[in-house]
Amino acid sequence: MSIKVPLPGMELGHVNIYILKCDDGYGLIDVGLATYEAALALLRGLKSMGIKPGQITKVYVTHFHVDHITLAQLLSEVASPEFHIGSEELKTPFDEFVKLLLDEYKQLGVPTEIIEGFQKFHPVARFRKAYEDVWRIQWRGVTDGEELDCGIRAMWTPGHTPGHMVYLSQAGVYTGDHILPKITPNISWIPRDGFNPLGEYLKSLRKTHMETVAYPAHGDPIVDLPKRVEELLEHHQRRLGELLHLLSRPMSLYEVAKNLTWSLGKFEQFDIYNKLFAIGEAYSHILYLESTGQIRRIESEPPRWVSL
Ligand SMILES: [Zn+2]
């Protein structure tokens, strides 16, 4: 059972909230975005299934992103569920997140207009109030392999975020944003020491190469999960190959983002939001190649990277 909860103003269109049957009521996988439309859709969806909000006894969130978590406060007003999230996710300093990210990008030569746009458009900034509320909820940190109520087991899949969890059940695996059917999940640099997002993501992808149905947070169920995992692995291999080729001459992060090919079209025509995603994605690929010793960083103003 699932409810399609709208994401007003977001290209993804909707987030799937999955409903689990538990011994003492019902559980939700993810809760949705803190907007009027989303709240209405969630409550109406539950009503159509004959579920009263008070019967929600468990919430399992896949990761700390705005479209998955910010409606949690509303739920805590109408019910008293136990709220669960990957324990590593609780270490993300959401209040300093934007500043730390901006400082790093500034230092890496990302133009000021993008940095300034970032302050306005980044979801953490736009949903600041909702995040503050959600941060105050008593979260229970879930660890890798943990057996949970409602017949699910947690599997830690860092990459899209450091504490991303997928939840395994008899029916299949709830993949959050770790694996999506149509688009490649965004794998961006985030301000956390020693976190190599793409390196972690590729490992997590291999962990979820499983013969089961996947229930993603956006889009329809994925019947052939191994095939989708292979496609995602190939996508990143291709992208790494392209980056390695580009860096036969030294380039800064911003030059890399401008010169990589993007499925959405030309970087110059992106809105600020997509430019930010592209820069984050470019940086995670740079860090990966640096960690495998295939490129090296040149200390210049701004820093550049070159293939070895
Ligand atoms: Zn996400």
Side-chain angles (χ1 to χ4, degrees):
M1 290 194 291
S2 67
I3 302 171
K4 264 191 180 4
V5 171
L7 297 174
M10 288 191 181
E11 279 167 40
L12 284 166
H14 72 274
V15 58
N16 297 316
I17 308 303
Y18 295 98
I19 321 292
L20 308 169
K21 184 84 192 77
C22 317
D23 289 342
D24 57 354
Y26 294 91
L28 301 185
I29 306 270
D30 288 332
V31 282
L33 184 74
T35 67
Y36 171 74
E37 292 91 334
L40 205 58
L42 179 64
L43 295 175
R44 276 186 182 157
L46 291 171
K47 197 175 180 181
S48 74
M49 293 173 189
I51 301 172
K52 293 192 177 74
Q55 290 177 285
I56 307 291
T57 52
K58 305 283 184 306
V59 168
Y60 301 101
V61 168
T62 57
H63 64 294
F64 203 77
H65 274 170
V66 67
D67 46 332
H68 300 257
I69 201 170
T70 49
L71 211 48
Q73 179 61 29
L74 175 100
L75 211 60
S76 79
E77 300 290 345
V78 294
S80 309
E82 274 175 29
F83 288 94
H84 302 74
I85 191 166
S87 56
E88 286 297 312
E89 215 66 341
L90 294 170
K91 297 178 190 163
T92 302
F94 105 89
D95 46 349
E96 310 159 40
F97 186 90
V98 173
K99 187 189 175 306
L100 293 170
L101 207 70
L102 290 182
D103 288 351
E104 177 80 0
Y105 285 163
K106 227 183 262 176
Q107 190 243 326
L108 293 175
V110 172
T112 320
E113 70 264 23
I114 295 184
I115 303 272
E116 282 168 3
F118 197 118
Q119 279 161 317
K120 284 187 222 131
F121 291 111
H122 194 275
V124 173
R126 282 196 296 147
F127 286 87
R128 188 164 185 93
K129 177 74 180 75
Y131 262 127
E132 278 169 6
D133 289 345
V134 162
W135 196 246
R136 279 194 288 269
I137 290 176
Q138 271 288 329
W139 289 92
R140 205 167 89 46
V142 171
T143 53
D144 190 27
E146 199 177 326
E147 297 285 349
L148 299 158
D149 292 342
C150 318
I152 56 168
R153 179 159 53 87
M155 183 194 270
W156 185 29
T157 50
H160 179 64
T161 63
H164 192 291
M165 284 284 168
V166 303
Y167 297 101
L168 304 159
S169 79
Q170 288 267 319
V173 54
Y174 301 98
T175 55
D177 282 358
H178 170 58
I179 296 173
L180 296 171
K182 291 261 158 43
I183 55 163
T184 55
N186 180 249
I187 307 300
S188 266
W189 179 78
I190 68 141
R192 176 185 285 223
D193 278 349
F195 184 58
N196 173 355
L198 185 59
E200 293 296 334
Y201 183 61
L202 297 177
K203 275 192 255 168
S204 296
L205 271 180
R206 292 184 194 105
K207 263 168 82 176
T208 43
H209 194 284
M210 297 183 293
E211 296 285 347
T212 188
V213 180
Y215 296 100
H218 312 283
D220 296 329
I222 302 164
V223 181
D224 193 345
L225 179 56
K227 179 167 163 257
R228 186 61 186 142
V229 167
E230 298 289 345
E231 285 168 2
L232 292 168
L233 286 167
E234 276 163 29
H235 164 81
H236 289 288
Q237 283 314 324
R238 259 200 318 278
R239 162 94 352 144
L240 288 167
E242 188 193 357
L243 177 55
L244 211 49
H245 182 72
L246 268 183
L247 291 178
S248 53
R249 69 174 182 87
M251 279 190 187
S252 69
L253 168 62
Y254 192 60
E255 287 171 314
V256 168
K258 277 199 296 189
N259 283 286
L260 279 172
T261 51
W262 300 102
S263 59
L264 275 181
K266 283 217 163 306
F267 178 86
E268 279 79 7
Q269 281 143 21
F270 288 180
D271 57 19
I272 296 256
Y273 196 69
N274 282 315
K275 277 185 178 159
L276 293 173
F277 274 146
I279 291 166
E281 186 94 13
Y283 195 24
S284 73
H285 284 72
I286 287 175
L287 289 178
Y288 179 81
L289 288 180
E290 212 182 345
S291 76
T292 57
Q294 290 165 281
I295 61 172
R296 79 180 163 83
R297 178 173 161 135
I298 303 167
E299 290 309 334
S300 53
E301 277 291 328
R304 290 175 299 158
W305 284 265
V306 69
S307 302
L308 290 171

